[in-house]
Amino acid sequence: LEAGRQLWLVVNLSSAHLADVGVAETVTGVLNAHGVAPSRLVVQFSEEGVDAPTGRAITEHLTKLQTLGIRTALDGFGAQATSLSRLRMLPLDIVKLDRRIFDASPGAPDHHDAVVAAVVNLAEQLGVEVAVSGVRAEPELRASVNAGCRLGQGDLFCPPAVPERLEAYLDSHQIGRASCRERV
């Protein structure tokens, strides 16, 4: 973690929202109304609903958001059957590995490091960063870092909190504000 880093605001949008023709204008209006720089926003979405009829519109709108300086993230990667071709087609800045990557079946070998390393390698080739979601424990963090992942999100960094509690946490951790950000 590096001191002085700013927070990213991560917002989930559904495929229906991303397919809406006015999504970029709506997001820009909200950012302007609240004084948030576009570079501080990450719009994340899951693959659900990204099908042939909406795929072209979603791709176009994600590209428009990126040109405004907003980052885009595919959430839940690896949780379901994922089409690797989507990684090529969608304009992405971040691929977020699902929390279930840490869950090994009883008696089964734990290949977490190998899976994360493979995704990080693929993402690097595509010019996309990988974030591991749901990091809860130091061994998960170590394994992710060892596999080459630079971004993480989860209770280990900053547990879910109501706005007042989060504000108090940020105030008491002036130097460590990056820990709630998604930086490993």
Side-chain angles (χ1 to χ4, degrees), residues 18-75:
L18 284 172
D20 185 274
V21 71
V23 69
E25 291 75 18
T26 300
V27 170
T28 302
V30 171
L31 290 174
N32 290 337
H34 295 282
V36 176
S39 62
R40 297 287 116 215
L41 180 64
V42 177
V43 170
Q44 77 178 18
F45 62 99
S46 68
E47 284 188 273
E48 291 178 36
V50 181
D51 52 21
T54 62
R56 178 169 278 147
I58 289 171
T59 299
E60 180 182 317
H61 300 155
L62 288 172
T63 300
K64 189 169 186 178
L65 291 169
Q66 284 181 321
T67 62
L68 296 170
I70 297 166
R71 291 183 177 109
T72 60
L74 179 62
D75 192 26

Short mmCIF file of all heavy atoms in Angstrom, two decimals, residues 18-75:
data_model
loop_
_atom_site.label_atom_id
_atom_site.label_comp_id
_atom_site.label_asym_id
_atom_site.label_seq_id
_atom_site.Cartn_x
_atom_site.Cartn_y
_atom_site.Cartn_z
N LEU A 18 -26.09 -0.25 -18.75
CA LEU A 18 -25.00 0.00 -19.69
C LEU A 18 -25.48 0.06 -21.14
O LEU A 18 -24.87 0.72 -21.97
CB LEU A 18 -23.91 -1.05 -19.54
CG LEU A 18 -23.03 -0.88 -18.32
CD1 LEU A 18 -22.11 -2.09 -18.16
CD2 LEU A 18 -22.20 0.39 -18.40
N ALA A 19 -26.56 -0.63 -21.44
CA ALA A 19 -27.10 -0.63 -22.80
C ALA A 19 -27.91 0.63 -23.09
O ALA A 19 -28.16 0.96 -24.24
CB ALA A 19 -27.97 -1.87 -23.03
N ASP A 20 -28.30 1.35 -22.03
CA ASP A 20 -29.10 2.57 -22.19
C ASP A 20 -28.31 3.65 -22.91
O ASP A 20 -27.17 3.93 -22.55
CB ASP A 20 -29.56 3.07 -20.82
CG ASP A 20 -30.49 4.25 -20.93
OD1 ASP A 20 -29.98 5.39 -21.02
OD2 ASP A 20 -31.72 4.02 -20.96
N VAL A 21 -28.91 4.27 -23.88
CA VAL A 21 -28.23 5.25 -24.72
C VAL A 21 -27.73 6.47 -23.93
O VAL A 21 -26.73 7.07 -24.29
CB VAL A 21 -29.13 5.69 -25.91
CG1 VAL A 21 -30.29 6.55 -25.43
CG2 VAL A 21 -28.32 6.38 -26.97
N GLY A 22 -28.34 6.80 -22.81
CA GLY A 22 -27.94 7.98 -22.05
C GLY A 22 -27.05 7.69 -20.86
O GLY A 22 -26.85 8.58 -20.02
N VAL A 23 -26.48 6.50 -20.78
CA VAL A 23 -25.71 6.14 -19.59
C VAL A 23 -24.51 7.06 -19.36
O VAL A 23 -24.25 7.47 -18.23
CB VAL A 23 -25.29 4.64 -19.61
CG1 VAL A 23 -24.26 4.35 -20.68
CG2 VAL A 23 -24.77 4.22 -18.24
N ALA A 24 -23.77 7.40 -20.40
CA ALA A 24 -22.58 8.25 -20.22
C ALA A 24 -22.98 9.63 -19.73
O ALA A 24 -22.32 10.19 -18.83
CB ALA A 24 -21.80 8.35 -21.53
N GLU A 25 -24.06 10.18 -20.26
CA GLU A 25 -24.51 11.50 -19.83
C GLU A 25 -25.01 11.47 -18.39
O GLU A 25 -24.76 12.38 -17.61
CB GLU A 25 -25.60 12.03 -20.77
CG GLU A 25 -25.10 12.37 -22.16
CD GLU A 25 -24.82 11.15 -23.06
OE1 GLU A 25 -25.32 10.04 -22.76
OE2 GLU A 25 -24.08 11.32 -24.04
N THR A 26 -25.71 10.40 -18.02
CA THR A 26 -26.19 10.26 -16.65
C THR A 26 -25.03 10.18 -15.68
O THR A 26 -25.01 10.87 -14.65
CB THR A 26 -27.09 9.01 -16.51
OG1 THR A 26 -28.21 9.15 -17.39
CG2 THR A 26 -27.57 8.83 -15.09
N VAL A 27 -24.05 9.33 -15.98
CA VAL A 27 -22.89 9.17 -15.11
C VAL A 27 -22.12 10.48 -15.00
O VAL A 27 -21.74 10.91 -13.90
CB VAL A 27 -21.98 8.02 -15.60
CG1 VAL A 27 -20.66 7.99 -14.86
CG2 VAL A 27 -22.69 6.68 -15.46
N THR A 28 -21.92 11.16 -16.11
CA THR A 28 -21.21 12.44 -16.11
C THR A 28 -21.96 13.47 -15.26
O THR A 28 -21.35 14.21 -14.48
CB THR A 28 -21.04 12.97 -17.55
OG1 THR A 28 -20.32 12.00 -18.31
CG2 THR A 28 -20.27 14.27 -17.57
N GLY A 29 -23.27 13.50 -15.38
CA GLY A 29 -24.07 14.43 -14.58
C GLY A 29 -23.94 14.17 -13.09
O GLY A 29 -23.81 15.12 -12.30
N VAL A 30 -23.96 12.91 -12.70
CA VAL A 30 -23.82 12.57 -11.28
C VAL A 30 -22.42 12.94 -10.78
O VAL A 30 -22.27 13.49 -9.68
CB VAL A 30 -24.12 11.07 -11.04
CG1 VAL A 30 -23.78 10.66 -9.62
CG2 VAL A 30 -25.59 10.78 -11.36
N LEU A 31 -21.40 12.65 -11.56
CA LEU A 31 -20.03 13.01 -11.17
C LEU A 31 -19.90 14.52 -10.98
O LEU A 31 -19.34 14.98 -9.98
CB LEU A 31 -19.02 12.52 -12.21
CG LEU A 31 -18.80 11.02 -12.30
CD1 LEU A 31 -17.87 10.69 -13.47
CD2 LEU A 31 -18.24 10.46 -11.01
N ASN A 32 -20.43 15.27 -11.93
CA ASN A 32 -20.36 16.73 -11.85
C ASN A 32 -21.14 17.26 -10.64
O ASN A 32 -20.66 18.16 -9.94
CB ASN A 32 -20.88 17.38 -13.13
CG ASN A 32 -19.93 17.17 -14.30
OD1 ASN A 32 -18.74 16.94 -14.12
ND2 ASN A 32 -20.47 17.24 -15.50
N ALA A 33 -22.31 16.71 -10.40
CA ALA A 33 -23.15 17.16 -9.28
C ALA A 33 -22.47 16.93 -7.93
O ALA A 33 -22.70 17.70 -6.99
CB ALA A 33 -24.50 16.45 -9.32
N HIS A 34 -21.63 15.90 -7.85
CA HIS A 34 -21.00 15.57 -6.57
C HIS A 34 -19.50 15.90 -6.54
O HIS A 34 -18.82 15.58 -5.56
CB HIS A 34 -21.22 14.09 -6.24
CG HIS A 34 -22.66 13.78 -6.01
ND1 HIS A 34 -23.30 14.08 -4.83
CD2 HIS A 34 -23.60 13.23 -6.82
CE1 HIS A 34 -24.57 13.73 -4.91
NE2 HIS A 34 -24.77 13.21 -6.11
N GLY A 35 -19.01 16.52 -7.59
CA GLY A 35 -17.61 16.94 -7.61
C GLY A 35 -16.62 15.80 -7.60
O GLY A 35 -15.54 15.92 -7.02
N VAL A 36 -16.95 14.69 -8.23
CA VAL A 36 -16.06 13.53 -8.29
C VAL A 36 -15.37 13.51 -9.65
O VAL A 36 -16.04 13.59 -10.69
CB VAL A 36 -16.84 12.21 -8.07
CG1 VAL A 36 -15.93 11.01 -8.22
CG2 VAL A 36 -17.52 12.22 -6.71
N ALA A 37 -14.06 13.41 -9.64
CA ALA A 37 -13.30 13.33 -10.90
C ALA A 37 -13.58 12.00 -11.57
O ALA A 37 -13.64 10.96 -10.91
CB ALA A 37 -11.81 13.48 -10.62
N PRO A 38 -13.75 11.99 -12.89
CA PRO A 38 -14.00 10.74 -13.61
C PRO A 38 -12.93 9.68 -13.35
O PRO A 38 -13.23 8.49 -13.30
CB PRO A 38 -14.02 11.15 -15.08
CG PRO A 38 -14.38 12.60 -15.05
CD PRO A 38 -13.78 13.15 -13.79
N SER A 39 -11.68 10.09 -13.13
CA SER A 39 -10.60 9.13 -12.89
C SER A 39 -10.75 8.40 -11.56
O SER A 39 -10.08 7.41 -11.33
CB SER A 39 -9.25 9.84 -12.94
OG SER A 39 -9.18 10.81 -11.90
N ARG A 40 -11.61 8.85 -10.69
CA ARG A 40 -11.85 8.23 -9.39
C ARG A 40 -12.99 7.22 -9.45
O ARG A 40 -13.28 6.57 -8.46
CB ARG A 40 -12.18 9.28 -8.31
CG ARG A 40 -11.09 10.24 -8.03
CD ARG A 40 -9.96 9.58 -7.25
NE ARG A 40 -8.76 9.57 -8.06
CZ ARG A 40 -7.86 8.61 -8.08
NH1 ARG A 40 -7.97 7.57 -7.34
NH2 ARG A 40 -6.82 8.69 -8.85
N LEU A 41 -13.66 7.10 -10.59
CA LEU A 41 -14.81 6.21 -10.72
C LEU A 41 -14.45 4.95 -11.50
O LEU A 41 -13.77 5.01 -12.53
CB LEU A 41 -15.97 6.92 -11.44
CG LEU A 41 -17.24 6.09 -11.64
CD1 LEU A 41 -17.88 5.71 -10.31
CD2 LEU A 41 -18.23 6.85 -12.51
N VAL A 42 -14.93 3.82 -10.99
CA VAL A 42 -14.85 2.55 -11.70
C VAL A 42 -16.28 2.06 -11.87
O VAL A 42 -17.00 1.91 -10.90
CB VAL A 42 -14.04 1.49 -10.93
CG1 VAL A 42 -14.04 0.15 -11.67
CG2 VAL A 42 -12.62 1.96 -10.68
N VAL A 43 -16.70 1.86 -13.11
CA VAL A 43 -18.01 1.29 -13.40
C VAL A 43 -17.80 -0.20 -13.60
O VAL A 43 -17.06 -0.61 -14.49
CB VAL A 43 -18.63 1.93 -14.67
CG1 VAL A 43 -19.86 1.18 -15.10
CG2 VAL A 43 -18.95 3.39 -14.42
N GLN A 44 -18.41 -1.00 -12.75
CA GLN A 44 -18.26 -2.45 -12.88
C GLN A 44 -19.59 -3.09 -13.21
O GLN A 44 -20.64 -2.58 -12.85
CB GLN A 44 -17.62 -3.06 -11.64
CG GLN A 44 -18.50 -3.22 -10.44
CD GLN A 44 -17.76 -3.89 -9.28
OE1 GLN A 44 -16.54 -3.95 -9.24
NE2 GLN A 44 -18.51 -4.39 -8.34
N PHE A 45 -19.50 -4.21 -13.90
CA PHE A 45 -20.68 -4.94 -14.34
C PHE A 45 -20.33 -6.40 -14.45
O PHE A 45 -19.16 -6.77 -14.49
CB PHE A 45 -21.17 -4.40 -15.70
CG PHE A 45 -20.16 -4.58 -16.80
CD1 PHE A 45 -20.28 -5.64 -17.69
CD2 PHE A 45 -19.08 -3.73 -16.93
CE1 PHE A 45 -19.34 -5.83 -18.69
CE2 PHE A 45 -18.13 -3.92 -17.92
CZ PHE A 45 -18.26 -4.97 -18.81
N SER A 46 -21.36 -7.24 -14.45
CA SER A 46 -21.12 -8.67 -14.64
C SER A 46 -21.49 -9.04 -16.06
O SER A 46 -22.13 -8.26 -16.78
CB SER A 46 -21.95 -9.49 -13.64
OG SER A 46 -23.31 -9.36 -13.93
N GLU A 47 -21.13 -10.24 -16.45
CA GLU A 47 -21.40 -10.69 -17.82
C GLU A 47 -22.87 -11.00 -18.07
O GLU A 47 -23.28 -11.08 -19.22
CB GLU A 47 -20.59 -11.94 -18.13
CG GLU A 47 -19.15 -11.66 -18.40
CD GLU A 47 -18.46 -12.90 -18.88
OE1 GLU A 47 -18.01 -13.67 -18.03
OE2 GLU A 47 -18.38 -13.10 -20.11
N GLU A 48 -23.63 -11.17 -17.00
CA GLU A 48 -25.05 -11.47 -17.17
C GLU A 48 -25.71 -10.38 -17.99
O GLU A 48 -25.57 -9.20 -17.71
CB GLU A 48 -25.74 -11.58 -15.82
CG GLU A 48 -25.32 -12.79 -15.02
CD GLU A 48 -26.00 -12.84 -13.67
OE1 GLU A 48 -27.17 -12.44 -13.58
OE2 GLU A 48 -25.34 -13.27 -12.72
N GLY A 49 -26.42 -10.77 -19.01
CA GLY A 49 -27.13 -9.81 -19.83
C GLY A 49 -26.32 -9.22 -20.96
O GLY A 49 -26.83 -8.45 -21.76
N VAL A 50 -25.03 -9.53 -21.02
CA VAL A 50 -24.21 -9.06 -22.13
C VAL A 50 -24.32 -10.11 -23.22
O VAL A 50 -23.55 -11.04 -23.30
CB VAL A 50 -22.74 -8.84 -21.73
CG1 VAL A 50 -21.93 -8.34 -22.92
CG2 VAL A 50 -22.63 -7.89 -20.56
N ASP A 51 -25.34 -9.94 -24.04
CA ASP A 51 -25.59 -10.90 -25.11
C ASP A 51 -25.49 -10.18 -26.45
O ASP A 51 -25.20 -8.99 -26.51
CB ASP A 51 -26.95 -11.58 -24.93
CG ASP A 51 -28.08 -10.57 -24.74
OD1 ASP A 51 -27.92 -9.40 -25.12
OD2 ASP A 51 -29.13 -10.97 -24.21
N ALA A 52 -25.74 -10.90 -27.51
CA ALA A 52 -25.61 -10.33 -28.85
C ALA A 52 -26.43 -9.06 -29.06
O ALA A 52 -25.91 -8.08 -29.57
CB ALA A 52 -25.96 -11.39 -29.90
N PRO A 53 -27.70 -9.02 -28.66
CA PRO A 53 -28.48 -7.80 -28.90
C PRO A 53 -27.95 -6.57 -28.14
O PRO A 53 -28.00 -5.47 -28.64
CB PRO A 53 -29.88 -8.15 -28.42
CG PRO A 53 -29.94 -9.64 -28.39
CD PRO A 53 -28.55 -10.10 -28.14
N THR A 54 -27.44 -6.77 -26.92
CA THR A 54 -26.99 -5.62 -26.14
C THR A 54 -25.49 -5.42 -26.18
O THR A 54 -24.99 -4.36 -25.82
CB THR A 54 -27.42 -5.76 -24.66
OG1 THR A 54 -26.80 -6.93 -24.11
CG2 THR A 54 -28.91 -5.83 -24.51
N GLY A 55 -24.75 -6.43 -26.59
CA GLY A 55 -23.29 -6.38 -26.56
C GLY A 55 -22.69 -5.21 -27.29
O GLY A 55 -21.76 -4.56 -26.79
N ARG A 56 -23.19 -4.89 -28.48
CA ARG A 56 -22.64 -3.78 -29.26
C ARG A 56 -22.88 -2.45 -28.55
O ARG A 56 -21.98 -1.62 -28.44
CB ARG A 56 -23.25 -3.75 -30.66
CG ARG A 56 -22.74 -2.57 -31.48
CD ARG A 56 -23.11 -2.66 -32.91
NE ARG A 56 -22.11 -3.54 -33.53
CZ ARG A 56 -22.36 -4.35 -34.52
NH1 ARG A 56 -23.55 -4.43 -35.04
NH2 ARG A 56 -21.41 -5.10 -35.03
N ALA A 57 -24.09 -2.25 -28.02
CA ALA A 57 -24.40 -1.00 -27.31
C ALA A 57 -23.55 -0.87 -26.04
O ALA A 57 -23.02 0.20 -25.74
CB ALA A 57 -25.89 -0.93 -26.96
N ILE A 58 -23.43 -1.98 -25.31
CA ILE A 58 -22.63 -1.95 -24.08
C ILE A 58 -21.17 -1.62 -24.40
O ILE A 58 -20.55 -0.79 -23.73
CB ILE A 58 -22.76 -3.29 -23.32
CG1 ILE A 58 -24.17 -3.39 -22.72
CG2 ILE A 58 -21.69 -3.42 -22.25
CD1 ILE A 58 -24.51 -4.75 -22.14
N THR A 59 -20.63 -2.24 -25.42
CA THR A 59 -19.25 -1.97 -25.83
C THR A 59 -19.08 -0.49 -26.19
O THR A 59 -18.12 0.16 -25.76
CB THR A 59 -18.86 -2.87 -27.01
OG1 THR A 59 -18.95 -4.24 -26.60
CG2 THR A 59 -17.45 -2.58 -27.50
N GLU A 60 -20.01 0.03 -26.94
CA GLU A 60 -19.96 1.44 -27.35
C GLU A 60 -20.02 2.37 -26.13
O GLU A 60 -19.25 3.33 -26.03
CB GLU A 60 -21.13 1.73 -28.29
CG GLU A 60 -21.21 3.16 -28.79
CD GLU A 60 -22.43 3.36 -29.68
OE1 GLU A 60 -22.71 2.48 -30.52
OE2 GLU A 60 -23.09 4.40 -29.50
N HIS A 61 -20.92 2.07 -25.19
CA HIS A 61 -21.08 2.94 -24.02
C HIS A 61 -19.90 2.82 -23.06
O HIS A 61 -19.49 3.82 -22.46
CB HIS A 61 -22.41 2.64 -23.33
CG HIS A 61 -23.57 2.89 -24.23
ND1 HIS A 61 -24.77 2.26 -24.07
CD2 HIS A 61 -23.71 3.68 -25.34
CE1 HIS A 61 -25.61 2.66 -25.02
NE2 HIS A 61 -24.98 3.51 -25.81
N LEU A 62 -19.34 1.62 -22.91
CA LEU A 62 -18.14 1.46 -22.08
C LEU A 62 -16.97 2.25 -22.66
O LEU A 62 -16.22 2.90 -21.93
CB LEU A 62 -17.77 -0.01 -21.94
CG LEU A 62 -18.67 -0.87 -21.07
CD1 LEU A 62 -18.29 -2.35 -21.20
CD2 LEU A 62 -18.62 -0.43 -19.61
N THR A 63 -16.84 2.21 -23.98
CA THR A 63 -15.79 2.97 -24.65
C THR A 63 -15.97 4.46 -24.40
O THR A 63 -15.00 5.18 -24.11
CB THR A 63 -15.78 2.66 -26.16
OG1 THR A 63 -15.55 1.27 -26.34
CG2 THR A 63 -14.70 3.47 -26.88
N LYS A 64 -17.20 4.93 -24.47
CA LYS A 64 -17.48 6.35 -24.22
C LYS A 64 -17.12 6.72 -22.78
O LYS A 64 -16.53 7.76 -22.53
CB LYS A 64 -18.94 6.66 -24.51
CG LYS A 64 -19.26 8.13 -24.49
CD LYS A 64 -20.65 8.40 -25.03
CE LYS A 64 -20.87 9.90 -25.13
NZ LYS A 64 -22.18 10.21 -25.68
N LEU A 65 -17.47 5.86 -21.82
CA LEU A 65 -17.11 6.10 -20.43
C LEU A 65 -15.60 6.17 -20.26
O LEU A 65 -15.08 7.03 -19.54
CB LEU A 65 -17.71 5.03 -19.52
CG LEU A 65 -19.24 5.05 -19.37
CD1 LEU A 65 -19.73 3.79 -18.66
CD2 LEU A 65 -19.70 6.31 -18.64
N GLN A 66 -14.88 5.27 -20.92
CA GLN A 66 -13.43 5.28 -20.84
C GLN A 66 -12.84 6.57 -21.40
O GLN A 66 -11.88 7.10 -20.85
CB GLN A 66 -12.83 4.08 -21.57
CG GLN A 66 -12.96 2.79 -20.82
CD GLN A 66 -12.34 1.64 -21.58
OE1 GLN A 66 -12.43 1.54 -22.81
NE2 GLN A 66 -11.69 0.73 -20.85
N THR A 67 -13.40 7.06 -22.50
CA THR A 67 -12.88 8.31 -23.08
C THR A 67 -13.09 9.49 -22.14
O THR A 67 -12.38 10.49 -22.24
CB THR A 67 -13.50 8.62 -24.46
OG1 THR A 67 -14.91 8.81 -24.30
CG2 THR A 67 -13.21 7.54 -25.47
N LEU A 68 -14.05 9.37 -21.23
CA LEU A 68 -14.28 10.41 -20.23
C LEU A 68 -13.32 10.28 -19.04
O LEU A 68 -13.32 11.11 -18.15
CB LEU A 68 -15.73 10.33 -19.73
CG LEU A 68 -16.81 10.61 -20.76
CD1 LEU A 68 -18.18 10.27 -20.20
CD2 LEU A 68 -16.74 12.07 -21.22
N GLY A 69 -12.53 9.20 -19.02
CA GLY A 69 -11.58 8.97 -17.94
C GLY A 69 -12.08 8.02 -16.87
O GLY A 69 -11.43 7.83 -15.84
N ILE A 70 -13.22 7.40 -17.09
CA ILE A 70 -13.82 6.47 -16.14
C ILE A 70 -13.27 5.08 -16.43
O ILE A 70 -13.18 4.67 -17.59
CB ILE A 70 -15.36 6.49 -16.28
CG1 ILE A 70 -15.87 7.88 -15.91
CG2 ILE A 70 -16.01 5.41 -15.43
CD1 ILE A 70 -17.31 8.15 -16.32
N ARG A 71 -12.91 4.35 -15.39
CA ARG A 71 -12.42 2.98 -15.55
C ARG A 71 -13.61 2.02 -15.65
O ARG A 71 -14.66 2.27 -15.07
CB ARG A 71 -11.55 2.57 -14.38
CG ARG A 71 -10.25 3.31 -14.34
CD ARG A 71 -9.40 2.81 -13.18
NE ARG A 71 -8.13 3.47 -13.21
CZ ARG A 71 -7.76 4.38 -12.32
NH1 ARG A 71 -8.55 4.71 -11.34
NH2 ARG A 71 -6.58 4.94 -12.40
N THR A 72 -13.40 0.91 -16.33
CA THR A 72 -14.44 -0.12 -16.46
C THR A 72 -13.91 -1.43 -15.94
O THR A 72 -12.74 -1.76 -16.12
CB THR A 72 -14.87 -0.28 -17.93
OG1 THR A 72 -13.74 -0.66 -18.72
CG2 THR A 72 -15.45 1.03 -18.49
N ALA A 73 -14.79 -2.19 -15.27
CA ALA A 73 -14.37 -3.46 -14.67
C ALA A 73 -15.43 -4.52 -14.90
O ALA A 73 -16.62 -4.27 -14.75
CB ALA A 73 -14.14 -3.28 -13.17
N LEU A 74 -14.97 -5.70 -15.26
CA LEU A 74 -15.83 -6.88 -15.38
C LEU A 74 -15.78 -7.59 -14.04
O LEU A 74 -14.73 -8.03 -13.60
CB LEU A 74 -15.34 -7.80 -16.49
CG LEU A 74 -16.13 -9.08 -16.71
CD1 LEU A 74 -17.57 -8.78 -17.09
CD2 LEU A 74 -15.46 -9.94 -17.77
N ASP A 75 -16.91 -7.66 -13.36
CA ASP A 75 -16.99 -8.22 -12.02
C ASP A 75 -17.35 -9.70 -12.09
O ASP A 75 -18.02 -10.15 -13.01
CB ASP A 75 -18.07 -7.47 -11.22
CG ASP A 75 -18.04 -7.77 -9.74
OD1 ASP A 75 -16.96 -8.15 -9.23
OD2 ASP A 75 -19.08 -7.63 -9.09
#
